[in-house]
Amino acid sequence: MYDVIIIGCGVIGAAAAYTLSKTNCSVLVLEAENDVASGTTKANSAILHAGFDPKPGTLMARLNVRGVTLAKEICSELDVPCCQCGSLVVATSDSEMDVLEELLKQGIQNGVPGLEILTGEKLRHKEPNISKNVIAALWAPTAAIVSPWEYALAMAECSVMNGAVLKRDKRVVGITRRDDYWEIHTKEESFCGHFVINAAGIASETIHNMVATSTFHITPTRGQYYILDKNEGSRVSSVVFPCPTKEGKGVLVAPTVHGNCIVGPSAESVQGDDTSNTSLGLISVAEAARRIVPDVNLRASIRNFAGVRANSDRGDFIIEFAAPGFLDLAGIKSPGLSAAAAIGELAVKMLGEQGLDVENNSHFVSHRHRVRFKNLTTEEKNALIQENPQYGRVICRCETITEGEILDCLHTSIPPVSVDGVKRRCNAGMGRCQGGFCGPRILEILSRELGVSPTQILQEHDGSNIILEMTKQEDC
């Protein structure tokens, strides 16, 4: 019997687990996929929004600003790449100037510090590559960029280090209310807990409907992106947005914490978790990006990807009890990544008000460290190689990732089980060749360290085996 069971381990479930691990509660996290951060969290714009966009008085507005403050603290403590580069929302007409003024007012109401509208030379000095049609921009210095999967993974790892239990490949198929607890059913086994947090992303409506009548509807919405090579990484120095519309924040152009440039997303309603890329979707992203940064070189694309976000019919985050002891954290679209830590904080507070004992964990481990070999000085590199020669063997040439770093991630509290899992943890395969050189070597290391045949190594999800073993009949 657990005190709390969390369904889903994207950034929201990870944030809830992280906050709960600061207490003495027993926590179980059930993740449907074979790794954490495998849904929306791994495929988004990677932005910590300043907080001027949400309407004042909404949960989004309240939790965005608080969440960004917490996120920066957590990233510092857990060694997650994060850079406060600021953001610009650009205007190209008088009507869009009115939008900037409204966003400025909203931001002030929401408590966003440092906002100002830039024009002329000051604006051009900050972003010389923006369109000549841009007449002004709202500058938000507190906006930041982050590695979203590393952020979620770090919180999940920290929660496990502090006693939480994570079970992967546990898709929830049913939920039963017992006398004073919940029984959560997966295909293989069932788990019992006094409280449940529904952090299932685009599946949150399905999970909610297992315990209560329908009160909201999730429309999965796909966003398609370009990731550009590092030679485009300095095209802009801050996050550049167009003026928002009723459809959303629009297509942005932004640097990434790994030195690339990200362009996107589109916005298309889809069925389920459809993360395919389409020519029409990518064309629409390209056209929108060039309207604000005309010279962005999309031919430098090293990868296209898509993510699916959980748009709801509420227009705000859904953070409420569906039944006694069963808390929905649903409809968490943008600024969900920005607000995640504050959502976790609020969730624990709400559970405490319903009777959960949230006494502080006096033995809470609050820090972790990652070796990033390429960022070390020559002296530090030499000392590390002397201590462990595996740091002297470069596996991923594009990103200068060593065997030592890959082995490090394979011996953490939440080790990867796939090539892409390694990629998210230490950046091996993120570069220009996208694993063309290092992929086979990572497969070899995984096979060796996990003690399994290379035919059992996955690229990502279950069934994505890289090497297939033929039978004699098939070979003939």
Side-chain angles (χ1 to χ4, degrees):
M1 177 73 73
Y2 293 90
D3 292 321
V4 184
I5 297 177
I6 301 170
I7 301 173
C9 199
V11 71
I12 303 303
Y18 171 78
T19 310
L20 282 165
S21 71
K22 294 181 177 182
T23 75
N24 289 322
C25 298
S26 58
V27 179
L28 170 66
V29 185
L30 300 177
E31 169 53 48
E33 302 295 339
N34 64 20
D35 204 359
V36 305
S38 289
T40 304
T41 300
K42 76 171 183 184
N44 57 67
S45 303
I47 309 300
L48 296 177
H49 296 282
F52 52 77
D53 191 63
K55 297 296 181 185
T58 61
L59 282 169
M60 288 180 175
R62 171 183 157 197
L63 298 173
N64 185 338
V65 176
R66 172 65 177 163
V68 168
T69 299
L70 290 173
K72 292 171 185 175
E73 293 172 0
I74 292 168
C75 287
S76 176
E77 291 174 351
L78 301 184
D79 198 5
V80 176
C82 181
C83 173
Q84 187 171 308
C85 62
S87 69
L88 291 167
V89 179
V90 300
T92 59
S93 66
D94 290 342
S95 62
E96 289 187 340
M97 278 296 300
D98 293 338
V99 176
L100 294 194
E101 294 287 354
E102 182 60 30
L103 291 176
L104 176 61
K105 291 177 184 176
Q106 286 188 179
I108 293 170
Q109 283 184 262
N110 292 344
V112 182
L115 294 174
E116 62 175 315
I117 292 179
L118 305 182
T119 58
E121 186 177 333
K122 195 171 182 180
L123 172 58
R124 299 294 162 187
H125 178 73
K126 187 169 290 294
E127 291 295 350
N129 290 318
I130 61 172
S131 170
K132 293 178 180 178
N133 296 325
V134 172
I135 58 176
L138 176 64
W139 169 241
T142 57
I145 53 177
V146 70
S147 177
W149 51 85
E150 290 182 78
Y151 178 40
L153 176 66
M155 290 191 288
E157 283 185 351
C158 187
S159 69
V160 171
M161 288 189 292
N162 284 287
V165 176
L166 170 69
K167 291 185 178 290
R168 293 179 269 183
D169 284 315
K170 297 297 180 184
R171 187 175 299 277
V172 174
V173 297
I175 302 174
T176 304
R177 179 64 176 172
R178 301 302 183 188
D179 291 337
D180 61 347
Y181 64 92
W182 296 93
E183 188 171 358
I184 311 298
H185 310 289
T186 68
K187 287 184 178 180
E188 301 84 6
E189 55 189 319
S190 296
F191 306 92
C192 297
H194 291 293
F195 294 88
V196 177
I197 293 176
N198 171 17
I202 63 170
S204 56
E205 178 185 4
T206 300
I207 297 299
H208 167 94
N209 291 346
M210 291 179 183
V211 304
T213 57
S214 178
T215 58
F216 60 87
H217 177 62
I218 298 294
T219 300
T221 303
R222 179 174 60 197
Q224 301 186 51
Y225 293 86
Y226 290 82
I227 288 289
L228 307 185
D229 197 11
K230 286 182 168 58
N231 57 22
E232 281 293 298
S234 59
R235 180 65 64 181
V236 293
S237 60
S238 52
V239 182
V240 181
F241 295 97
C243 266
T245 66
K246 62 182 180 181
E247 278 76 38
K249 294 181 175 70
V251 171
L252 60 82
V253 180
T256 73
V257 292
H258 299 116
N260 302 89
C261 179
I262 188 171
V263 180
S266 59
E268 314 129 32
S269 296
V270 292
Q271 295 295 318
D273 190 19
D274 181 358
T275 56
S276 54
N277 286 116
T278 67
S279 58
L280 288 178
L282 292 173
I283 288 170
S284 71
V285 168
E287 290 175 345
R290 290 188 178 115
R291 284 196 285 270
I292 57 174
V293 184
D295 294 331
V296 63
N297 181 16
L298 297 174
R299 290 193 172 202
S301 176
I302 60 172
R303 189 175 185 88
N304 295 112
F305 70 92
V308 178
R309 50 195 182 270
N311 274 330
S312 80
D313 54 2
R314 296 275 194 96
D316 196 4
F317 296 154
I318 301 165
I319 303 177
E320 61 192 29
F321 286 98
F326 192 102
L327 181 62
D328 284 329
L329 306 180
I332 311 294
K333 60 177 183 177
S334 181
L337 177 66
S338 310
I343 293 172
E345 188 180 66
L346 175 60
V348 174
K349 179 176 180 290
M350 293 173 69
L351 292 181
E353 290 169 350
Q354 281 222 348
L356 177 67
D357 184 357
V358 291
E359 180 184 353
N360 285 342
N361 174 7
S362 59
H363 302 292
F364 178 69
V365 178
S366 60
H367 289 77
R368 64 161 211 167
H369 174 66
R370 289 289 175 269
V371 172
R372 294 182 174 85
F373 185 81
K374 67 179 178 181
N375 295 337
L376 301 177
T377 65
T378 300
E379 292 76 15
E380 289 170 332
K381 288 176 181 176
N382 289 335
L384 195 59
I385 292 169
Q386 286 292 322
E387 182 182 331
N388 183 350
Q390 289 165 323
Y391 287 109
R393 183 187 180 202
V394 174
I395 300 298
C396 173
R397 293 180 178 179
C398 296
E399 295 293 316
T400 319
I401 308 300
T402 66
E403 182 172 9
E405 291 166 273
I406 293 170
L407 292 174
D408 285 346
C409 79
L410 285 169
H411 295 93
T412 57
S413 59
I414 306 177
V417 295
S418 68
V419 170
D420 281 359
V422 170
K423 181 179 182 179
R424 287 191 293 274
R425 283 162 174 79
C426 67
N427 227 40
M430 285 280 190
R432 181 175 292 173
C433 83
Q434 286 291 294
F437 175 81
C438 65
R441 289 156 182 80
I442 295 170
L443 184 150
E444 177 188 4
I445 293 169
L446 277 168
S447 174
R448 182 189 76 210
E449 294 298 313
L450 298 179
V452 299
S453 164
T455 61
Q456 294 179 256
I457 300 301
L458 303 173
Q459 182 67 42
E460 173 66 297
H461 300 292
D462 292 341
S464 62
N465 302 67
I466 300 167
I467 299 175
L468 301 181
E469 187 173 7
M470 290 186 173
T471 64
K472 288 184 179 180
Q473 183 177 357
E474 289 172 328
D475 194 45
C476 294

